[in-house]
């Protein structure tokens, strides 16, 4: 028998969450963001559920090639653009759209056109997403340089289309006393004024919270497709009608009956107040469960309980006080859905280690067995 820990991928939930993105942004094309191996779910695994999307967005050319290998002929957008002039050969060969966020990338595109000219090759026509730094200060042209970047690119034969792109830092809540999109949106609108072209603004948080106020020809939906709420705890997945797409499940492999004052695990971090029953679960930080978490919620036989003591590499302990039917082999859900349908949102687990659902789902390690549920 393999160790009982598994990550179950729920295909009906992936499809359902994509339909919510469509519902929230009815006038937009929906790009499924599948970076980081589809937020830890596996590109090959999610592909069949996401192939009704209007495009895929990711970072690594190797991941883009994997999507082409699955038969996808539509748009693939590289969200960080090219990392070298060489990458343009792949963009050409695999028909990849890409973000342009800095002058050095424009220089590479110009050099590439010169090489093609010299070799008398047909000039390729790239569809690019010109990124503006509207205030987040990671990637993009500053508003005052944006128009000149646009004109440089627009004058090149090798550019087929230019989409205006930006990314929100605060779409999940209020900042500076107003909605978190407002200050960036104004900067963006001002800077693209009078330029033709489509626009791509919204991530999941903006799609869910502001789609009525924002016009985004292409929305870039990531976390919402994977059943995590981008603005938890203000809204949970039920509020947004999203469903968990990944369930990390394991089993109880040992039971301990404690006397008062006995301790559990490394560092004796948990001390029993009275006699109690605890379960030892085959899940630890080497599976991707956060060591730093304390009192994290779990489901044991679909009944809510919590972890106790320190998470170790291969195991953690759970309180069985209120789970009378718990025994060796009982199902323990670390996040997601139990096999009888009880839900433990990943966001609730994430918050108990001070992180977000994104990090947990991306962090499941490859010793965990993944299984598909259709
Ligand atoms: C990751 C990413 C997204 C998706 O963000 P979510 O919060 O997961 O929806 C959108 N746009 C860009 C540029 C990204 O890097």
């Amino acid at each position: 028998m393999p160790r009982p820990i598994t990550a179950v991928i729920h295909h009906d939930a992936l499809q359902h969450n994509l339909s919510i993105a469509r519902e929230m942004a009815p006038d937009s094309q929906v790009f499924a963001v599948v970076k980081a191996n589809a937020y830890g779910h596996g590109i090959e695994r999610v592909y069949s559920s996401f192939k009704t999307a209007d495009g895929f967005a990711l970072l690594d050319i190797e991941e883009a090639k994997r999507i082409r290998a699955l038969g996808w002929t539509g748009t693939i957008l590289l969200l960080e653009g090219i990392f070298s002039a060489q990458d343009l050969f792949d963009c050409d060969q695999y028909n990849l759209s890409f973000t342009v966020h800095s002058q050095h990338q424009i220089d590479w595109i110009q050099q590439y056109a010169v090489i093609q000219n010299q070799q008398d090759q047909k000039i390729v026509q790239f569809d690019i997403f010109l990124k503006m730094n509207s205030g987040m200060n990671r990637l993009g042209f500053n508003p005052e340089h944006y128009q000149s970047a646009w004109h440089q690119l627009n004058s090149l034969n090798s550019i087929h289309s230019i989409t205006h792109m930006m990314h929100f830092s605060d779409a999940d809540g209020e900042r500076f006393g107003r909605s978190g999109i407002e200050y960036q949106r104004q900067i963006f609108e001002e800077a693209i004024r009078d330029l033709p072209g489509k626009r791509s603004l919204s991530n999941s948080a903006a799609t869910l919270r502001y789609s009525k106020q924002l016009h985004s020809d292409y929305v870039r939906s990531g976390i919402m497709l994977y059943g995590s709420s981008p603005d938890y705890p203000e809204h949970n997945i039920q509020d947004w009608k999203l469903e968990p797409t990944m369930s990390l499940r394991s089993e109880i492999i040992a039971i301990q009956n404690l006397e008062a004052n006995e301790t559990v695990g490394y560092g004796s971090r948990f001390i029993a107040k009275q006699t109690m029953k605890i379960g030892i679960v085959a899940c630890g930080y080497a599976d991707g469960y956060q060591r730093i978490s304390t009192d994290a919620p779990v489901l044991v036989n679909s009944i809510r309980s919590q972890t106790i003591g320190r998470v170790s590499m291969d195991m953690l302990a759970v309180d069985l006080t209120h789970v009378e039917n718990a025994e060796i082999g009982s199902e323990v859900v670390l996040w997601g859905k139990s096999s009888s349908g009880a839900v433990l949102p990943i966001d609730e687990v994430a918050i108990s280690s001070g992180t977000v659902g994104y990090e947990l789902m991306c962090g499941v390690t490859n010793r965990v067995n993944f299984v598909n549920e259709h």
Side-chain angles (χ1 to χ4, degrees):
M1 273 269 285
R3 202 162 152 264
I5 187 164
T6 54
V8 182
I9 303 301
H10 305 286
H11 287 263
D12 48 354
L14 291 164
Q15 289 161 30
H16 168 83
N17 295 341
L18 178 60
S19 77
I20 297 289
R22 286 220 181 278
E23 224 171 83
M24 297 306 281
D27 304 322
S28 304
Q29 297 209 37
V30 175
F31 284 3
V33 180
V34 293
K35 63 189 177 190
N37 199 24
Y39 290 50
H41 289 58
I43 284 179
E44 284 73 13
R45 240 169 255 121
V46 301
Y47 176 73
S48 62
S49 294
F50 286 170
K51 64 183 182 192
T52 57
D54 300 304
F56 287 95
L58 42 66
L59 314 177
D60 294 299
I61 287 184
E62 288 314 308
E63 289 188 339
K65 290 180 184 174
R66 281 161 57 192
I67 295 185
R68 287 286 180 243
L70 292 164
W72 177 253
T73 56
T75 302
I76 298 179
L77 171 63
L78 301 178
L79 290 167
E80 288 182 349
I82 50 175
F83 301 100
S84 72
Q86 286 295 318
D87 286 349
L88 289 166
F89 289 95
D90 280 327
C91 292
D92 181 356
Q93 186 180 348
Y94 292 93
N95 189 21
L96 308 178
S97 305
F98 53 92
T99 296
V100 175
H101 61 74
S102 296
Q103 182 62 41
H104 65 270
Q105 295 174 319
I106 299 183
D107 299 341
W108 289 336
I109 297 167
Q110 283 169 334
Q111 289 158 15
Y112 190 75
V114 172
I115 295 169
Q116 292 224 309
N117 250 333
Q118 285 163 351
Q119 296 176 347
D120 269 342
Q121 288 179 6
K122 196 169 132 278
I123 298 271
V124 269
Q125 297 255 291
F126 294 118
D127 292 304
I128 60 140
F129 284 60
L130 183 59
K131 187 147 187 196
M132 189 188 304
N133 172 15
S134 56
M136 194 175 191
N137 284 308
R138 293 194 315 190
L139 300 181
F141 291 89
N142 288 339
E144 61 273 26
H145 299 128
Y146 188 83
Q147 295 241 348
S148 99
W150 188 90
H151 286 291
Q152 278 184 68
L153 288 160
N154 192 49
S155 69
L156 300 178
N157 293 333
S158 56
I159 299 298
H160 175 249
S161 70
I162 307 176
T163 299
H164 306 293
M165 176 180 178
M166 58 148 287
H167 193 56
F168 290 113
S169 55
D170 300 290
D172 59 331
E174 295 218 339
R175 298 297 186 291
F176 314 127
R178 51 185 176 169
S179 96
I181 59 164
E182 214 39 56
Y183 82 102
Q184 283 178 283
R185 203 247 302 248
Q186 279 170 14
I187 289 168
F188 179 75
E189 299 289 353
E190 179 68 17
I192 68 167
R193 213 176 33 170
D194 304 328
L195 295 178
K198 294 190 169 172
R199 311 137 56 101
S200 178
L201 294 84
S202 304
N203 56 4
S204 296
T207 302
L208 291 169
R209 293 171 65 96
Y210 302 111
S211 58
K212 298 217 168 49
Q213 301 150 53
L214 274 177
H215 176 61
S216 191
D217 294 291
Y218 306 102
V219 298
R220 309 183 302 270
S221 310
I223 196 69
M224 64 174 295
L225 301 183
Y226 304 99
S228 167
S229 171
D231 62 351
Y232 185 82
E234 189 182 337
H235 295 101
N236 60 29
I237 53 170
Q238 285 96 335
D239 295 330
W240 296 125
K241 301 189 171 61
L242 301 171
E243 291 171 9
T245 58
M246 178 197 282
S247 297
L248 187 65
R249 293 181 189 157
S250 188
E251 291 179 4
I252 291 178
I253 60 169
I255 289 178
Q256 304 295 340
N257 292 294
L258 307 182
E259 299 296 330
N261 296 323
E262 285 197 294
T263 65
V264 177
Y266 288 117
S268 296
R269 288 280 288 265
F270 179 84
I271 303 169
K273 291 200 183 70
Q274 66 254 322
T275 57
M276 67 185 291
K277 189 165 123 177
I278 66 165
I280 304 301
V281 182
C283 175
Y285 60 78
D287 301 298
Y289 197 88
Q290 297 265 315
R291 180 178 180 276
I292 198 176
S293 68
T294 46
D295 303 342
V298 295
L299 303 176
V300 182
N301 282 344
S302 298
I303 297 164
R304 209 174 155 110
S305 183
Q306 62 169 48
T307 63
I308 54 179
R310 196 173 265 168
V311 173
S312 51
M313 188 170 183
D314 312 309
M315 283 174 269
L316 55 78
V318 295
D319 185 0
L320 298 180
T321 306
H322 303 290
V323 198
E324 271 128 40
N325 60 359
E327 56 188 17
I328 302 293
S330 288
E331 180 186 83
V332 179
V333 172
L334 289 316
W335 63 72
K337 263 188 296 199
S338 76
S339 43
S340 60
V343 173
L344 175 59
I346 196 168
D347 303 317
E348 290 182 37
V349 181
I351 215 158
S352 67
S353 44
T355 186
V356 285
Y358 298 76
E359 190 179 9
L360 297 188
M361 56 179 80
C362 290
V364 176
T365 61
N366 56 18
R367 82 175 189 186
V368 174
N369 186 31
F370 277 74
V371 296
N372 291 304
E373 189 183 273
H374 287 277

